[in-house]
Amino acid sequence: MSVKYVPEPFRIKMVETIKMLTREERIQKIAEAKYNMFNLKGEDVYIDLLTDSGTNAMSQEQWAGVMRGDEAYAGSSSYFKLVAAGQDIFGYEYIQPVHQGRAAEKVMFELLMGKGQYSISNTFFDTTRAHVEATGARAIDCVVAEAKDPSIRAPFKGNMDVVKLESLINEYGVDKIGLVVMTITNNSAGGQPVSMENVRKTAEICKKYGIKLCIDAARYAENAFFVKQREEGYADVSIKDIVKEMFGFADMFTMSAKKDTIVNMGGLIGIKDDKELVTLCKARTILFEGFISYGGLSGRDLESLAIGLYEGLNEDYLKYRIGQMEYLAGRLDEAGIAYQAPVGGHGVFVDAKALLPQIPYYEFPGQALAIELYIEAGIRTCDIGSYMLGNDPDTLEQLHSEFEFTRFAIPRRVYTQSHIDIMADALIAIKERSSSIKGYKITWEPPVLRHFQASLAPIE
């Protein structure tokens, strides 16, 4: 085996026991869960890759911070530590804690768009798309063409198609575009990074037409690492300085801090220079999240989040973090299993359409592969494809996703090389019997974000 594993830049101090059910038990459990990965109990999962959101292992410094958390309702010292960290890293004057990323979107999006308008992104993630649609607006994806071919190895496949962006603005009219959102890294396109140049060009277009630019900042540190590794002129620039430069192009950001800030709960809003928007944001935070100095979080959450903001920027940690993805991708390369290449920042997005070509998009190859992975090795993953994309909000017809991925979202500082080898071995075993795998149909679904709750059944 030629691929090498980057050793962990930490020692393990505390462990959590996990167990592997028998194959017969796993077949029973997934049937009881109505073939929905979200319905499985955590204790019935051996390796949990459903998400990297809030599933991270905190450091001893963060746990010490938990004990120091100031639980004052107003004016907590932990709040001021968090604000100071956010101002230092992102360069924005106003930093608002909220309880998670979708809370940030709930607070902000209704202030920026409404019925009859559109929001454009390099690619919206599912919950962000839902929050756009909840305002009455419609979400439009505008990712570069190379992202749509998993086999093309381009350095920044998460980029905005800036030519198409300007064309869309002119097509719909400036007054119809409520917000442009730059997702870094681009999750739905495979955790793919966005270049500094692309953010700058996107910002120039937004400024030209007077449209606000928001960064969806869930994986901002991983994106900065890719800029340092791949973009000319940044090899000798610190991760922190790359982050500050990139955020300087935007007007605001929303963040799920449950990813790159390596905590189990938390989110942030940042606003650069807009006193009116800050005032409105404060009012909605109080309405939905609690007082502005805690934003739906305990003081101990605020404290660990302030520490995690800096830990997530550590270059040795990021090298190991991305190295885990590269190791799994290398094993898949040796086995001839396709994925969104080059590998992204927070996970490996296996090309389920390539592995299961006999399953059409409306029978959900990404979900079918996720189910097989649980049956094969107790691994819980999720579909990033037509099943997650759902139905058109106006026609209610099944949408055809440009991607049919099964996402291996790897939590931070949680799994070892042995676990990753199990992931690769499971995929190799499934590949050997892939022609016999069939698709799934939905037997019940809710009207919004169906993949969290839907019931499915195998197609006989």
Side-chain angles (χ1 to χ4, degrees), residues 2 39 52 61 72 109 121 137 148 186 192 197 247 255 268 327 394 405:
S2 60
N39 288 339
D52 63 316
E61 286 77 17
F109 279 11
S121 178
K148 300 171 187 178
N186 190 331
Q192 293 294 311
E197 180 185 20
F247 279 72
M255 177 194 290
L268 291 176
Y327 176 79
D394 299 312
F405 293 138

Side-chain angles (χ1 to χ4, degrees), residues 79-363:
Y79 163 73
F80 289 113
K81 287 179 185 177
L82 175 59
V83 169
Q87 291 171 335
D88 177 40
I89 291 169
F90 303 108
Y92 286 24
E93 181 180 355
Y94 184 70
I95 300 294
Q96 174 62 60
V98 290
H99 82 271
Q100 62 181 46
R102 68 192 66 175
E105 294 162 0
K106 173 63 177 175
V107 168
M108 293 299 293
F109 279 11
E110 288 185 2
L111 297 172
L112 300 164
M113 68 189 90
K115 189 172 182 179
Q117 290 188 302
Y118 299 89
S119 182
I120 304 171
S121 178
N122 49 343
T123 311
F124 284 103
F125 194 57
D126 57 350
T127 49
T128 312
R129 182 183 304 276
H131 274 114
V132 169
E133 293 174 353
T135 71
R138 292 293 175 257
I140 302 174
D141 292 335
C142 191
V143 72
V144 289
E146 54 262 35
K148 300 171 187 178
D149 185 343
S151 67
I152 295 176
R153 291 181 178 264
F156 293 102
K157 291 174 77 170
N159 279 354
M160 183 84 74
D161 184 335
V162 290
V163 174
K164 183 179 177 182
L165 170 64
E166 189 160 18
S167 175
L168 288 168
I169 292 170
N170 289 316
E171 177 184 347
Y172 289 107
V174 174
D175 60 324
K176 294 289 188 181
I177 309 300
L179 187 67
V180 172
V181 178
M182 180 66 86
T183 310
I184 60 171
T185 56
N186 190 331
N187 185 358
S188 294
Q192 293 294 311
V194 177
S195 71
M196 189 75 76
E197 180 185 20
N198 188 250
V199 175
R200 178 180 57 78
K201 287 182 177 179
T202 301
E204 288 172 353
I205 292 170
C206 289
K207 188 174 182 180
K208 175 181 176 180
Y209 292 98
I211 300 168
K212 289 189 180 297
L213 174 62
C214 176
I215 291 178
D216 179 343
R219 299 174 179 88
Y220 70 100
E222 292 167 5
N223 199 93
F225 183 82
F226 282 120
V227 169
K228 184 177 177 70
Q229 294 294 308
R230 298 178 181 177
E231 192 161 0
E232 186 177 354
Y234 289 93
D236 297 322
V237 182
S238 71
I239 298 294
K240 185 180 174 185
D241 286 345
I242 291 170
V243 168
K244 186 166 285 189
E245 181 181 344
M246 183 166 282
F247 279 72
F249 292 118
D251 299 293
M252 68 194 73
F253 70 83
T254 57
M255 177 194 290
S256 168
K258 297 162 67 177
K259 284 84 168 175
D260 271 0
T261 312
I262 325 178
V263 292
N264 305 125
M265 184 56 67
L268 291 176
I269 295 168
I271 300 173
K272 189 159 58 178
D273 296 307
D274 193 328
K275 291 183 179 179
E276 181 182 358
L277 188 59
V278 167
T279 300
L280 294 170
C281 174
K282 287 180 177 179
R284 286 178 65 83
T285 298
I286 294 170
L287 183 63
F288 295 120
E289 292 290 285
F291 189 60
I292 57 174
S293 66
Y294 73 93
L297 295 170
S298 63
R300 53 188 173 269
D301 292 322
L302 299 172
E303 192 86 25
S304 60
L305 176 48
I307 296 166
L309 276 168
Y310 288 106
E311 289 190 353
L313 299 177
N314 182 277
E315 197 166 329
D316 288 336
Y317 153 74
L318 286 167
K319 181 180 179 181
Y320 145 78
R321 168 70 177 158
I322 305 304
Q324 283 195 312
M325 312 308 150
E326 291 173 341
Y327 176 79
L328 177 55
R331 294 262 349 246
L332 300 189
D333 285 335
E334 291 178 342
I337 296 173
Y339 56 91
Q340 176 67 297
V343 73
H346 69 285
V348 177
F349 288 59
V350 176
D351 187 351
K353 182 163 60 176
L355 189 62
L356 306 172
Q358 73 275 15
I359 300 178
Y361 75 92
Y362 50 84
E363 293 178 4

Side-chain angles (χ1 to χ4, degrees), residues 383-428:
D383 166 282
I384 304 288
S386 297
Y387 172 59
M388 184 190 78
L389 187 59
N391 300 319
D392 185 287
D394 299 312
T395 67
L396 302 182
E397 293 181 357
Q398 171 65 53
L399 293 167
H400 187 178
S401 176
E402 291 174 330
F403 315 106
E404 299 293 348
F405 293 138
T406 302
R407 183 182 72 173
F408 286 58
I410 299 179
R412 294 159 185 81
R413 304 190 292 211
V414 171
Y415 292 116
T416 66
Q417 179 179 355
S418 296
H419 293 114
I420 295 178
D421 281 331
I422 290 171
M423 301 172 203
D425 292 342
L427 276 169
I428 292 166

Side-chain angles (χ1 to χ4, degrees), residues 369-389:
L369 179 55
I371 292 165
E372 291 301 317
L373 282 159
Y374 179 73
I375 292 171
E376 180 67 33
I379 300 169
R380 176 159 64 171
T381 57
C382 78
D383 166 282
I384 304 288
S386 297
Y387 172 59
M388 184 190 78
L389 187 59

